[in-house]
Amino acid sequence: AQGLTNAEIAQRLVLAPDSVKKNVTRILTKLDLRDRVQLVILMRDAQSGASAPSPQAAVARAGAGTGCCAGAR
């Protein structure tokens, strides 16, 4: 986690900043999260073994592996 802005992510992935913003929004929506802060908390809890569901399980339940970003890393 490097705390990159949408513009920084876009530059690294050679995408338009609006595309990054749209995809970040889709990810947050599929995980039923309000913002990136909640995403960081979810990831931290999953890594620490807290009772929160793992991000992988949350993504699988939300079907985030499909659509425009399937396979993108």
Side-chain angles (χ1 to χ4, degrees), residues 2-4 10-11 20-22 25-26 28-29 33 42-44 46 48 50-51 58-60 64 70:
Q2 298 175 353
L4 301 176
Q11 184 177 17
V20 173
K21 181 178 179 181
K22 185 184 300 182
T25 299
R26 286 178 180 166
L28 294 174
T29 299
L33 301 174
L42 176 69
M43 296 297 292
R44 181 202 62 202
S48 71
S51 62
V59 169

Side-chain angles (χ1 to χ4, degrees), residues 5-71:
T5 65
N6 290 343
E8 291 167 333
I9 294 168
Q11 184 177 17
R12 287 187 182 194
L13 298 177
V14 191
L15 296 171
D18 285 342
S19 294
V20 173
K21 181 178 179 181
K22 185 184 300 182
N23 285 297
V24 168
T25 299
R26 286 178 180 166
I27 291 166
L28 294 174
T29 299
K30 286 183 180 199
L31 295 175
D32 195 29
L33 301 174
R34 212 176 26 235
D35 52 32
R36 290 181 187 202
V37 173
Q38 285 190 323
L39 180 59
V40 169
I41 292 169
L42 176 69
M43 296 297 292
R44 181 202 62 202
D45 290 349
Q47 290 175 350
S48 71
S51 62
S54 74
Q56 293 82 3
V59 169
R61 279 195 313 275
T66 62
C68 70
C69 301

